[in-house]
Amino acid sequence: MTQARDYDRVAHAIRYIARHRLEQPTLEEVAEAMGLSPFHAQRLFTRWAGLSPKRFLGLLTVEHAKELLRGAESVMGAAYEVGLSGPSRLHDLFLTFEAMTPGEYKEAGAKLILRWGVHETPFGQALLVASERGLARLVFLEGQTVEEALVEAKADWPLSRFVADTNATAPFAHAAFGGSATRAPLKLLLKGTPFQVQVWRALMRIPEGTTVTYGQLAAELGRPGAARAIGSACGRNRIGVLIPCHRVIRDTGALGGYHWGLERKQALLAWESARRLGAEDETAARPG
């Protein structure tokens, strides 16, 4: 419960900073919004997000959004060129996809045993669903009970057997939010149309801490008029964070919507940016 309460406080701070970013709120003002002293507010926010409230405010500025947009095309193009997703929290852990065969799709997963668990994350509670074939679902419990989230999961896999098993889903939660030292591939079990799977694969090629627009993503896929369809595919993504639909923004530079809340999207982008900048600083500091 402590971690969830900390997330609520930081989420409230994120909303406050975003709402008042043009006024450049001070640490004292942010701390008051969090109901904490400046010292504890700074410590909690930095521990949770990896950067100070002041740095987060900077990452929300228009200039930062422009910087991301300026660099997105070349960065994403390079990532496509080498076939990798770029630097990320998963480091050398590659995500491989096991799309369903037509027969398996027709059976609606009748032979699958899906194990589920609820895990505390830096961004609130999340429901994870996995099988031996890979992770099938990672959704935040945004205004939902566990039972309601399970109803939605079972609607996607109506003939599969669901079993509560947090031990089975814990490695996926650790890979998504805690990093992982393992070199074994992390498999994702996708269920979608060929176009949706194509979009989800493309999302994995956007390097951590950067963004692309729907229009840029459509152009990369050779479908320049498909920005709306790409937005729909992002909305159908049920493996949050690992398939990073939060890295796609509107052509205007606005963040746009997010299935699990705009504040969470802001938090994910700022957290990833901080991690990327920290990794770059660490690399620059190494001798030779």
Side-chain angles (χ1 to χ4, degrees):
M1 294 300 295
T2 300
Q3 191 172 26
R5 185 170 62 252
D6 288 348
Y7 169 76
D8 288 341
R9 281 175 166 161
V10 175
H12 182 71
I14 288 168
R15 289 192 293 270
Y16 179 86
I17 293 171
R19 191 181 306 118
H20 297 279
R21 63 184 181 277
L22 297 180
E23 303 163 21
Q24 295 292 296
T26 65
L27 173 60
E28 288 73 16
E29 290 169 330
V30 174
E32 183 177 355
M34 296 174 70
L36 296 172
S37 69
F39 172 79
H40 287 98
Q42 174 96 345
R43 186 175 181 180
L44 174 62
F45 198 103
T46 302
R47 174 169 57 81
W48 179 86
L51 73 170
S52 67
K54 182 178 180 180
R55 187 72 177 273
F56 180 79
L57 175 62
L59 290 173
L60 289 180
T61 62
V62 174
E63 284 305 312
H64 180 68
K66 289 180 179 178
E67 177 187 343
L68 291 176
L69 287 170
R70 283 197 298 267
E73 185 173 357
S74 60
V75 170
M76 189 173 181
Y80 266 98
E81 193 69 28
V82 299
L84 300 178
S85 63
S88 74
R89 288 193 302 279
L90 301 182
H91 304 291
D92 298 327
L93 190 64
F94 295 135
L95 293 124
T96 59
F97 296 87
E98 288 208 10
M100 302 182 75
T101 66
E104 289 172 328
Y105 189 88
K106 183 177 180 180
E107 291 176 354
K111 298 178 181 178
L112 283 176
I113 297 177
L114 294 174
R115 304 183 184 278
W116 63 271
V118 175
H119 298 268
E120 294 286 350
T121 81
F123 303 94
Q125 284 190 325
L127 170 71
L128 279 72
V129 179
S131 77
E132 292 182 355
R133 293 279 301 273
L135 183 68
R137 199 174 189 89
L138 191 166
V139 298
F140 294 105
L141 299 180
E142 181 68 21
Q144 281 187 313
T145 64
V146 175
E147 291 73 20
E148 289 170 338
L150 278 173
V151 167
E152 291 184 354
K154 291 176 180 178
D156 283 344
W157 304 91
L159 301 182
S160 300
R161 183 159 67 94
F162 280 70
V163 178
D165 187 350
T166 55
N167 289 331
T169 53
F172 294 100
H174 183 65
F177 303 105
S180 177
T182 180
R183 302 287 173 161
L186 175 64
K187 295 180 179 179
L188 303 182
L189 178 60
L190 303 183
K191 185 179 182 182
T193 67
F195 178 73
Q196 288 171 342
V197 172
Q198 183 185 23
V199 171
W200 297 336
R201 286 178 181 271
L203 292 175
M204 283 305 307
R205 294 190 175 100
I206 306 172
E208 183 179 42
T210 63
T211 61
V212 299
T213 67
Y214 291 104
Q216 288 173 325
L217 189 57
E220 290 285 350
L221 292 174
R223 304 279 295 271
R228 185 180 295 274
I230 286 175
S232 178
C234 289
R236 287 294 303 162
N237 173 30
R238 291 298 178 264
I239 304 180
V241 181
L242 295 177
I243 299 180
C245 53
H246 61 275
R247 296 177 192 165
V248 187
I249 63 177
R250 293 177 180 169
D251 290 352
T252 61
L255 288 180
Y258 187 54
H259 184 76
W260 297 291
L262 184 58
E263 291 82 14
R264 189 173 274 109
K265 182 173 185 175
Q266 290 175 313
L268 281 164
L269 288 173
W271 197 30
E272 289 184 343
S273 293
R275 293 177 66 90
R276 177 176 60 85
L277 294 172
E280 290 174 355
D281 292 343
E282 183 179 343
T283 300
R286 291 174 184 169

